[in-house]
Amino acid sequence: MKILVPVKRVVDYNVKVRVKSDHSDVDIANAKMSMNPFDEIAVEEAARLKEKGAASEVVAVSAGVTQCQETLRTAMAIGADRGILVETEAKLEPLAVAKLLKALVDKEQPQLVILGKQAIDDDANQTGQMLAALLDWPQATFASKVEVEGSIVKVTREIDGGLETLQLQLPAIITTDLRLNEPRYVTLPNIMKAKKKPLETVKPADLGVDVTPRLTLLKAMDPPERQAGIKVADVKTLVDKLKNEAKVI
């Protein structure tokens, strides 16, 4: 079984993102970049499935600028066998990414695609579902446990009322949640090995996909600052303020 794992280069989760002075977008110049945490979980799960003998090859895929090669090298250091970069300077939207992934799925013919449920930069949570729709494949989102048994994959996912288990017929799409696994620490020997693994670069035009943005960002703004809280002397005063000032009761 071949597994395809898309990974995205995003601003590191420890970095506080600031809005540009002209409010045209967020300022990521000179910001530390890293692999999207949910995608890191997806790569780890694919690597574990290969180690268990359930998969024969793990292919990492990224779309974006040339620097995305670093993200792919990290994925290969975790356990991916090779990488594919769809190189473009365009600002990619979820649908464009899903179309690029569909073209790569048609080319690579994987039996399973594991994606992070969302990227921490746009929080769209759309690409996996869009890819499943384009391919007409079964999907299981927000996976907290994955078990592969032959041509069947069982996925446990967290829902409001507890846990739900889905059984999918391969080929299928899975998006990962935080509790699926804890990604391994990437060691220096594995980083050195990753530099020798094959990395292919293609353009969107090579895949026959138009990635022209369909949306325009009108304005970016910082969220309003929270007002400081106050202390009240007694319950009567609290109720009075909730009723007359906050108007929540």
Side-chain angles (χ1 to χ4, degrees):
M1 178 177 71
K2 182 190 292 187
I3 303 177
L4 194 73
V5 187
V7 294
K8 186 176 183 181
R9 179 176 181 264
V10 299
V11 177
D12 190 86
Y13 68 92
N14 289 311
V15 175
K16 180 176 173 58
V17 179
R18 301 184 183 278
V19 175
K20 291 181 179 179
S21 57
D22 60 359
H23 297 282
S24 61
D25 206 339
V26 294
D27 186 5
I28 61 172
N30 302 316
K32 180 184 177 184
M33 308 296 282
S34 61
M35 187 190 301
N36 179 49
F38 291 102
D39 297 343
E40 196 172 0
I41 292 170
V43 178
E44 174 66 27
E45 191 63 23
R48 292 186 185 187
L49 288 172
K50 185 186 176 186
E51 289 166 357
K52 292 176 183 176
S56 57
E57 185 182 26
V58 177
V59 183
V61 178
S62 191
V65 295
T66 305
Q67 290 85 340
C68 290
Q69 291 184 16
E70 301 169 11
T71 308
L72 287 170
R73 292 295 180 192
T74 302
M76 288 188 276
I78 294 174
D81 298 292
R82 56 188 175 94
I84 302 174
L85 172 62
V86 183
E87 190 174 6
T88 175
E89 295 290 334
K91 188 167 184 178
L92 296 172
E93 296 169 357
L95 181 57
V97 176
K99 289 179 177 179
L100 290 171
L101 292 177
K102 179 186 182 298
L104 288 172
V105 167
D106 292 340
K107 176 184 176 184
E108 293 289 333
Q109 294 294 309
Q111 286 71 52
L112 185 63
V113 181
I114 307 179
L115 312 87
K117 71 172 184 178
Q118 64 193 72
I120 61 172
D121 53 1
D122 58 16
D123 277 332
N125 184 12
Q126 295 175 338
T127 305
Q129 293 89 325
M130 288 177 169
L131 177 60
L134 291 172
L135 290 169
D136 195 24
W137 283 10
Q139 62 175 313
T141 56
F142 318 138
S144 60
K145 185 178 180 181
V146 175
E147 298 173 283
V148 177
E149 300 173 1
S151 62
I152 298 294
V153 57
K154 291 183 179 179
V155 178
T156 302
R157 56 195 301 270
E158 296 181 3
I159 58 175
D160 291 339
L163 298 175
E164 177 183 64
T165 301
L166 301 178
Q167 181 171 291
L168 311 178
Q169 182 75 39
L170 295 176
I173 307 287
I174 296 175
T175 70
T176 63
D177 209 342
L178 280 175
R179 275 174 281 276
L180 178 58
N181 62 53
E182 185 175 341
R184 69 194 68 185
Y185 176 77
V186 180
T187 61
L188 182 59
N190 286 332
I191 293 174
M192 300 306 293
K193 289 177 184 177
K195 292 182 178 180
K196 298 180 181 180
K197 293 182 179 180
L199 197 160
E200 178 186 357
T201 301
V202 297
K203 301 287 185 182
D206 300 333
L207 301 173
V209 178
D210 178 14
V211 295
T212 304
R214 266 67 172 177
L215 304 175
T216 302
L217 177 62
L218 300 179
K219 190 176 184 180
M221 297 178 64
D222 285 309
E225 292 186 9
R226 295 181 62 179
Q227 298 292 326
I230 61 171
K231 291 183 178 180
V232 295
D234 50 42
V235 175
K236 182 178 179 182
T237 308
L238 173 62
V239 173
D240 178 68
K241 288 186 176 294
L242 290 175
K243 184 176 181 180
N244 299 314
E245 293 184 19
K247 300 187 184 300
V248 294
I249 60 173

